[in-house]
Amino acid sequence: MFNTLKFFRFIGAPLAIGCVAAVACPVPGAWAQPTAASSTSYPGSPAFYLDQGWTEDEAQWWYYLSQGTIFMPYEWLLALEQAEGTELFASSANMSRLGFLVDPKNAEYNPDGLPVGFAKRPLTQPEGAFCWDGNWVGFGCAACHTGQVSYRGQNIRIEGGPAHHDIELFQDKLGEAIGATAGDPIKFSRFAQRVIGQGVETSPDALGEAFQCFVKRRALGRAFIAGAQAQAPELPTASGFGRLDAHERGVNLFLALPIAEARNYVPETAPVSFPATWDTPFFSYVLYNSSIRQPLTRNVIEALGVQSPIDHSTLLADTIRHGVNVQNIAEGQRLMMKLTAPAWPDALFGEIDQDLADVGSTIYAQQCGECHQLITPAEDWTARTEIENPLIPLEEIGTDPRQAATYARRKVNLSKIGGPESIASYEAAQLVTGKIVDQWIAESEDNAALAKVVNQGRPNEFIAPLAYRARPLNGIWATAPYLHNGSVPNLAALLVEPGKRPKRFYTGSWEFDPDLVGFEYASPFPGAFLYDTRLPGNSNLGHDYGTTLSPDEKAALIEYLKTL
């Protein structure tokens, strides 16, 4: 399908793949860089799986489903050593240190034992635009939308829950490993032996040329991002574990770096938590600011932001040449429609005090029910059609405004590819994704029928309200930390007067606290990331609902929230 495409053209600039990871290149001096990681802080598999509407086979299929994204050749990742020593970069211990979910090998879906969300796809370029013909690896949806918590040695998998990984730490460590391999002939020799040993048809010399090409593209990409950042008015805010400024980063990788347009670069200062995905196929609009209406176009723009190949010279043409796997995206969205929120696991965390929860239900109706639609575990999911999430204006909700504000004001210049000199980034996204989805629908009646099922009549519409949504709170216990930017570590802290919430705390622990309903956060541990609410995008103010309740009322409300 992709053999004849030239996805990117040079316009005096490096390709998007110049940033080795599927994320923006690191910028020296970014706020709050993470400390060195340790293998003792993160759990691996096996895990206890809750009943969320999926079979084991469906979950495994979802974990390794490719959207068409890429960040490096697949066999290279398997063969690459860490920067220091000979331990493989893709080892379970290292991937756990970076916050990824390590799963056992699965002959059908994960034969090489990569973490959840690492998806393989073939890529062949006749003109060598990506330096390597063969299998590539990229991030699938499950990488950011599969969660896990630990409690007293037991791991509990949360399908569709927020991931815990630190993409920025991953990209830094991957870059170090690639650089060390490129600069050390002995290290490269071991790398080459492993690549060829996997059955890849190449020679050490040819592999060396391809690897150096890859390293050069990466260096060009880093130079471009560093130069653009040098002209920016502020530093990026480091995301840390479980967060990402997906919009700013995605636009940088999609409409700044590939077309060498430094004016389209914006520092990433609005990191947000990876959102839970149950219920989302039925939301009238998705994202924290309720800005995208159609499921398919939303997922296509996400794939493009995570570096699915595309020929930028065709963005404004009648037919766009691209490598997005719309079929997989649609099939994945259909499976997501079956996903239910995770129920509180009594057998692991202890039984809910039902009498206390009954008191809390009344408090919920008074304090939360006006904004957060109530969805209970007993609801008939087959009757689900559409969920309208109330939008709360920024000045009313009082939480950090940057996600909604940066999304609304971001402009891009597309003159280098024959487009307008100024267009809202979300309007450009609507235009491109609409064409890509329409092209796929036109390919067959089956495609059109599947699109009808997953889109449920919702048109392609991108908007930019200066507000945040109030989503249903079912499964809320499994989505810590709280607020859209992950600035409040647990539910107990969310019910504290905003000015008295923790101002600095640690993220990266997977150990769950059933009483506070959140992760361990108060003490530093090996590999911890220090979250500082004073930095841009990190404010934990606002959302003061329930903060004037008595301690007993707060306890009752939290107990009720566990039942949703």
Side-chain angles (χ1 to χ4, degrees):
M1 177 178 179
F2 304 113
N3 290 0
T4 61
L5 298 185
K6 180 183 179 185
F7 293 121
F8 284 98
R9 59 189 287 218
F10 283 102
I11 310 180
L15 305 182
I17 196 62
C19 295
V20 169
V23 284
C25 299
V27 178
W31 294 111
Q33 292 299 315
T35 58
S38 167
S39 61
T40 61
S41 300
Y42 306 101
S45 288
F48 181 85
Y49 291 80
L50 304 176
D51 182 3
Q52 294 185 245
W54 285 355
T55 66
E56 179 181 357
D57 187 71
E58 286 172 332
Q60 288 292 323
W61 176 82
W62 161 257
Y63 291 164
Y64 302 102
L65 181 69
S66 174
Q67 308 170 89
T69 67
I70 59 172
F71 64 82
M72 75 180 302
Y74 182 86
E75 288 84 3
W76 294 14
L77 178 64
L78 296 177
L80 188 69
E81 295 176 354
Q82 295 177 49
E84 297 182 4
T86 59
E87 181 185 356
L88 293 179
F89 187 86
S91 69
S92 296
N94 190 48
M95 287 297 168
S96 291
R97 282 193 291 266
L98 300 173
F100 291 99
L101 291 177
V102 176
D103 260 12
K105 291 183 180 181
N106 180 300
E108 183 173 3
Y109 300 117
N110 186 29
D112 298 300
L114 286 176
V116 170
F118 281 62
K120 181 168 73 172
R121 60 154 295 178
L123 183 67
T124 302
Q125 294 296 298
E127 297 181 38
F130 291 92
C131 304
W132 183 254
D133 291 351
N135 295 320
W136 283 66
V137 62
F139 289 124
C141 296
C144 296
H145 301 291
T146 306
Q148 188 163 293
V149 304
S150 296
Y151 184 63
R152 296 180 178 177
Q154 176 64 61
N155 303 321
I156 302 98
R157 182 63 53 86
I158 311 296
E159 309 294 6
H164 291 261
H165 56 67
D166 184 337
I167 283 291
E168 291 165 351
L169 184 59
F170 171 83
Q171 75 174 22
D172 289 346
K173 296 300 181 182
L174 183 62
E176 291 171 7
I178 291 170
T181 303
D184 185 339
I186 297 176
K187 206 171 185 68
F188 178 81
S189 178
R190 293 194 297 264
F191 166 80
Q193 290 176 11
R194 293 191 188 99
V195 171
I196 295 172
Q198 295 176 63
V200 176
E201 296 183 359
T202 188
S203 67
D205 288 344
L207 178 61
E209 291 178 5
F211 193 77
Q212 290 299 327
C213 171
F214 183 77
V215 170
K216 181 179 179 180
R217 298 287 174 87
R218 178 180 182 273
L220 290 171
R222 288 170 59 90
F224 172 82
I225 294 294
Q229 173 59 38
Q231 304 301 315
E234 58 185 342
L235 291 171
T237 299
S239 296
F241 292 100
R243 298 199 310 161
L244 188 68
D245 187 345
H247 174 251
E248 302 293 60
R249 182 177 295 253
V251 176
N252 287 342
L253 288 177
F254 178 43
L255 293 176
L257 178 58
I259 64 173
E261 182 53 84
R263 290 172 293 185
N264 289 352
Y265 171 84
V266 171
E268 297 148 28
T269 60
V272 298
S273 293
F274 300 121
T277 55
W278 51 83
D279 300 332
T280 56
F282 307 100
F283 288 175
S284 55
Y285 290 85
V286 295
L287 301 191
Y288 285 109
N289 59 336
S290 286
S291 54
I292 305 179
R293 182 146 173 74
Q294 186 185 97
L296 279 184
T297 53
R298 179 268 164 208
N299 290 336
V300 167
I301 194 60
E302 182 264 329
L304 291 172
V306 188
Q307 290 190 288
S308 182
I310 188 167
D311 182 350
H312 282 72
S313 69
T314 68
L315 284 189
L316 304 175
D318 292 336
T319 300
I320 298 177
R321 293 186 292 177
H322 67 88
V324 180
N325 194 323
V326 184
Q327 181 71 36
N328 279 359
I329 285 174
E331 294 286 359
Q333 184 71 12
R334 178 162 59 181
L335 178 63
M336 189 60 60
M337 296 171 75
K338 295 177 58 178
L339 186 66
T340 61
W344 179 267
D346 288 345
L348 299 174
F349 295 160
E351 292 188 2
I352 293 172
D353 183 333
Q354 194 57 55
D355 290 338
L356 187 60
D358 289 343
V359 175
S361 67
T362 301
I363 299 172
Y364 178 92
Q366 297 169 344
Q367 296 287 329
C368 315
E370 183 177 347
C371 295
H372 295 283
Q373 179 177 335
L374 184 61
I375 296 178
T376 66
E379 181 174 340
D380 180 8
W381 283 73
T382 62
R384 184 66 57 86
T385 54
E386 187 167 2
I387 297 172
E388 297 273 356
N389 290 319
L391 273 175
I392 315 302
L394 296 179
E395 60 271 18
E396 179 179 340
I397 191 67
T399 53
D400 194 293
R402 283 201 176 225
Q403 190 275 328
T406 56
Y407 186 100
R409 69 174 180 242
R410 183 83 182 260
K411 303 285 187 182
V412 291
N413 186 323
L414 302 182
S415 59
K416 285 189 175 181
I417 55 174
E421 292 188 356
S422 180
I423 182 174
S425 61
Y426 64 88
E427 291 177 346
Q430 176 177 312
L431 176 66
V432 172
T433 59
K435 287 184 179 181
I436 289 174
V437 169
D438 287 346
Q439 287 174 202
W440 174 77
I441 289 174
E443 290 176 4
S444 72
E445 293 182 0
D446 288 343
N447 289 359
L450 180 54
K452 185 176 180 179
V453 170
V454 299
N455 284 336
Q456 302 173 82
R458 296 187 195 117
N460 178 27
E461 181 183 2
F462 286 59
I463 59 175
L466 294 174
Y468 292 128
R469 70 184 183 194
R471 68 171 289 162
L473 298 183
N474 51 325
I476 188 68
W477 68 267
T479 63
Y482 297 100
L483 297 184
H484 71 279
N485 59 354
S487 59
V488 179
N490 51 60
L491 285 183
L494 188 62
L495 295 178
V496 172
E497 181 182 336
K500 297 180 180 179
R501 293 168 181 162
K503 295 301 178 188
R504 303 174 84 211
F505 58 91
Y506 296 94
T507 65
S509 173
W510 301 56
E511 189 64 24
F512 190 73
D513 185 328
D515 296 320
L516 299 179
V517 189
F519 296 102
E520 297 289 348
Y521 72 96
S523 301
F525 52 88
F529 177 88
L530 180 60
Y531 191 115
D532 191 337
T533 63
R534 300 169 299 178
L535 297 181
N538 284 0
S539 171
N540 65 353
L541 299 179
H543 197 282
D544 58 359
Y545 314 108
T547 59
T548 60
L549 295 172
S550 70
D552 288 345
E553 289 172 325
K554 291 179 181 179
L557 177 56
I558 289 175
E559 200 71 6
Y560 176 69
L561 290 172
K562 296 176 184 179
T563 71
L564 298 179

